[in-house]
Amino acid sequence: MPGMTVAEKVELTLIPVVGAAVWSLAAAAGASIGTGSLLLGSSVLLLLQGLVRDLWLISRRNRDVHAGAGREALCMCVESTIGVTGVVTGLAVLGSALDATLALGPEAMGAIAVVVLAIGFAIKDLVFELRPFRIRRDKDHLNIVFRWKP
């Protein structure tokens, strides 16, 4: 995996470990889940992944004397946007008539966790820029200060 940081290699290594943990917990908990709960849980997992990554980057930045000042932009993190949208949608579906029960085995639950975390890893550096509207890669978007008027 050339060109990857140590943190990225650790994150990729932890993805199947978390999938195995979810598989173990799902085997102990049972095999059915509501669609709202599944969407809510998957979205929270995506947001937690981003939170842990951001906390790691902040801790590293505090040690780094070369950390740059924040820059202003009219953009949003794709990972956070998808996660928050999923949480809101999951809460809306939870307990509604749309909340169907799914019979998923522990293997499927573990696989869903792995897929969510892999997607989170793949989109971690993407931001929605609003003017002009586009999606772009910005490895340092933790230093961007969101402003409505750039």
Side-chain angles (χ1 to χ4, degrees):
M1 294 183 243
M4 293 181 67
T5 66
V6 172
E8 289 172 330
K9 291 177 185 177
V10 169
E11 185 175 353
L12 277 178
T13 303
L14 288 175
I15 289 173
V17 172
V18 172
V22 169
W23 177 45
S24 303
L25 291 172
S32 65
I33 188 169
T35 53
S37 297
L38 182 62
L39 182 57
L40 182 62
S42 298
S43 299
V44 167
L45 180 62
L46 182 67
L47 289 171
L48 282 174
Q49 178 186 22
L51 175 65
V52 170
R53 185 184 312 109
D54 289 349
L55 291 174
W56 170 258
L57 291 173
I58 288 170
S59 75
R60 300 302 301 171
R61 184 176 63 186
N62 289 340
R63 295 182 205 163
D64 186 10
V65 294
H66 302 299
R71 54 194 151 90
E72 294 181 1
L74 186 56
C75 63
M76 298 178 293
C77 174
V78 171
E79 182 180 31
S80 298
T81 303
I82 291 171
V84 169
T85 303
V87 166
V88 170
T89 305
L91 287 172
V93 170
L94 197 63
S96 74
L98 300 172
D99 195 17
T101 301
L102 303 172
L104 298 175
E107 300 85 6
M109 295 297 287
I112 289 169
V114 167
V115 168
V116 166
L117 293 172
I119 289 171
F121 182 81
I123 66 174
K124 67 182 172 54
D125 295 330
L126 298 179
V127 292
F128 288 118
E129 189 170 353
L130 301 178
R131 287 190 196 119
F133 183 76
R134 63 182 175 169
I135 297 175
R136 65 179 170 84
R137 184 168 300 279
D138 187 338
K139 287 186 86 64
D140 195 32
H141 69 273
L142 190 62
N143 286 332
I144 296 176
V145 177
F146 179 79
R147 299 278 303 209
W148 280 109
K149 294 181 181 181

